[in-house]
Amino acid sequence: MQLEKIRFSIIIGAYETNAIFFRQAIESAVALRWKNLEIHVLDACPGAGLEAVTRKTAKDDPRAEYHTIRPKGSLADAWNAGIRMARGDYLIFLGLTDRLNTMILRYLSDYISGHPDDEIIYTDHDEIKDGSRTNPYFLPDFNKELLLGSNYIG
């Protein structure tokens, strides 16, 4: 698959979400300069002001879409709705306190180019405290038995 043809869908599920953390997550998604990208914000708890945060942060970015789903649903409902809406070749689930590295889509596309038959890709991650990366969490290579006992990829 050619690099520029890879379409990514970022799914941000929101349920009883802190608007400050949410703003940081969506800012990191909107900052990505990948043209073939869609960003779906699925709000399962409207009324928390996330629509206004989304509209202000994404401004006129046509890649970002805000969706209200069944009020008082769960975060799982929001993620599942995002899966149904996504049109990308690969889905990226962005947690409410997550931030994306500005080069992540380039890193992923490079990996995909070298491993076109892989269907699931997961990455290591760090915590960010006071603006510094801490507590790196290095994930193992795929291990079916370990995955059945511990969901280390999601």
Side-chain angles (χ1 to χ4, degrees):
M1 184 178 295
Q2 292 181 359
L3 207 62
E4 63 276 1
K5 297 211 180 226
I6 298 173
R7 183 174 180 86
F8 292 101
S9 296
I10 297 176
I11 299 170
I12 307 172
Y15 179 74
E16 297 182 359
T17 302
N18 179 306
I20 294 170
F21 292 131
F22 173 77
R23 182 183 51 77
Q24 293 172 345
I26 195 166
E27 280 175 349
S28 75
V30 170
L32 300 172
R33 294 293 158 223
W34 196 266
K35 291 180 183 176
N36 207 4
L37 169 69
E38 61 182 8
I39 304 164
H40 292 282
V41 175
L42 293 297
D43 191 351
C45 194
L50 300 186
E51 181 174 11
V53 173
T54 301
R55 303 238 183 267
K56 182 178 180 182
T57 304
K59 295 184 180 130
D60 297 321
D61 191 334
R63 303 171 307 165
E65 298 177 22
Y66 173 87
H67 310 275
T68 300
I69 64 168
R70 188 182 73 229
K72 299 300 179 189
S74 68
L75 187 54
D77 291 331
W79 291 65
N80 287 331
I83 291 169
R84 289 189 296 276
M85 291 177 190
R87 298 175 306 273
D89 302 305
Y90 292 88
L91 307 180
I92 298 171
F93 296 94
L94 187 60
L96 302 172
T97 59
D98 295 346
R99 289 184 241 164
L100 294 168
N101 179 304
T102 57
M103 294 296 294
I104 189 62
L105 300 182
R106 176 61 185 208
Y107 298 148
L108 290 172
S109 63
D110 287 348
Y111 180 86
I112 291 164
S113 295
H115 304 84
D117 295 328
D118 286 3
E119 295 180 10
I120 297 175
I121 301 167
Y122 55 93
T123 64
D124 300 330
H125 62 272
D126 300 334
E127 291 180 19
I128 299 175
K129 291 185 180 178
D130 300 324
S132 298
R133 292 169 45 165
T134 63
N135 300 326
Y137 188 66
F138 301 110
L139 299 174
D141 288 342
F142 182 76
N143 179 316
K144 183 179 178 181
E145 289 75 27
L146 181 59
L147 184 58
L148 290 172
S150 173
N151 182 9
Y152 61 84
I153 64 172

